[in-house]
Amino acid sequence: DTEVTQTPKHLVMGMTNKKSLKCEQHMGHRAMYWYKQKAKKPPELMFVYSYEKLSINESVPSRFSPECPNSSLLNLHLHALQPEDSALYLCASSQDPENTEAFFGQGTRLTVV
Amino acid sequence: GNSVTQMEGPVTLSEEAFLTINCTYTATGYPSLFWYVQYPGEGLQLLLKATKADDKGSNKGFEATYRKETTSFHLEKGSVQVSDSAVYFCALRRMDSSYKLIFGSGTRLLVRP
């Protein structure tokens, strides 16, 4: 199993809503990542979890709150988002933070209205 | 600093044409290099990688060679197919404490029948 599974595939939310994005991998990877990708742009790193601990936060606004409940799961909690937060949110994992190869999920396309 | 520069797209080719997408990088140390592909509406898939100088990565008919002397990692394919139409991202992985993936801006490839 070399898959990273993200749910939901699409999400539309209002600016006052609270929602969560979910990511799951069963490859035994110990590093997991959240990226944000705007249209026609490369992915931008948001957060890195290493051995279930947050190791990198790329100065992401607090309306995005990551959580790693266990080594297979990664969540991104969303609250009070702005329309400019609309984007494709990608989860990725790698065997460990030092391993060169990262596997990406299919992404959640988020629209904030 | 660390950065990746890709040729501007879109690149439009006829089926069975030869493909080159240029990628050059700036990095401290010896980064690992990657090509990722993103099909419309999907996440990123690792296409190939190289972890040291003179390594050649290959997959699905695509090849790229890690050239330290020219700091390049150009993507090539001898005969493209319509199904290769996608956006291609060159990336490097920093080998410092962050192990962050640095992406190029992406090159859109359109293959016409």
Side-chain angles (χ1 to χ4, degrees):
Chain A
D1 183 0
T2 57
E3 276 197 2
V4 176
T5 304
Q6 290 188 243
T7 55
K9 285 195 168 60
H10 301 275
L11 178 64
V12 179
M13 62 183 290
M15 289 188 283
T16 58
N17 290 160
K18 284 185 183 180
K19 296 286 185 184
S20 296
L21 309 185
K22 297 188 183 303
C23 174
E24 191 167 4
Q25 56 86 15
H26 295 288
M27 295 179 277
H29 288 178
R30 303 311 300 270
M32 297 185 77
Y33 313 80
W34 280 115
Y35 284 81
K36 173 182 177 179
Q37 186 180 23
K38 300 284 277 184
K40 300 188 180 182
K41 297 288 187 185
E44 297 174 358
L45 183 66
M46 300 174 72
F47 302 104
V48 180
Y49 271 83
S50 171
Y51 297 92
E52 299 161 52
K53 288 186 168 34
L54 182 65
S55 61
I56 294 176
N57 176 342
E58 291 284 298
S59 303
V60 179
S62 60
R63 57 186 184 268
F64 295 91
S65 174
E67 179 198 18
C68 189
N70 61 54
S71 60
S72 299
L73 293 174
L74 185 66
N75 299 322
L76 186 63
H77 303 298
L78 313 173
H79 174 53
L81 294 195
Q82 303 297 310
E84 59 265 28
D85 296 320
S86 298
L88 182 67
Y89 288 84
L90 294 163
C91 175
S93 70
S94 62
Q95 188 173 341
D96 51 54
E98 294 81 18
N99 189 274
T100 63
E101 195 164 333
F103 294 87
F104 283 78
Q106 297 293 296
T108 294
R109 188 160 299 283
L110 173 68
T111 304
V112 181
V113 296
Chain B
N2 299 284
S3 66
V4 176
T5 302
Q6 287 182 240
M7 61 189 290
E8 290 273 339
V11 173
T12 304
L13 296 173
S14 297
E15 206 165 23
E16 299 183 3
F18 185 86
L19 168 70
T20 301
I21 299 178
N22 289 340
C23 171
T24 57
Y25 67 90
T26 303
T28 52
Y30 301 96
S32 294
L33 301 173
F34 306 88
W35 278 100
Y36 282 88
V37 59
Q38 187 172 32
Y39 297 100
E42 297 190 7
L44 272 71
Q45 298 178 25
L46 178 65
L47 183 59
L48 52 85
K49 67 176 184 180
T51 57
K52 61 182 188 298
D54 300 325
D55 265 3
K56 178 186 278 189
S58 61
N59 186 25
K60 300 180 182 179
F62 291 90
E63 292 183 340
T65 301
Y66 190 143
R67 301 278 188 208
K68 188 169 180 294
E69 63 277 11
T70 55
T71 61
S72 65
F73 193 54
H74 304 321
L75 183 68
E76 296 182 337
K77 187 175 185 184
S79 175
V80 292
Q81 305 299 313
V82 172
S83 57
D84 294 326
S85 298
V87 179
Y88 292 81
F89 290 98
C90 184
L92 68 81
R93 191 172 181 101
R94 283 166 50 169
M95 303 309 282
D96 57 16
S97 59
S98 74
Y99 295 95
K100 185 175 170 178
L101 262 178
I102 308 288
F103 287 94
S105 55
T107 302
R108 181 174 299 278
L109 170 65
L110 178 60
V111 180
R112 300 191 186 281

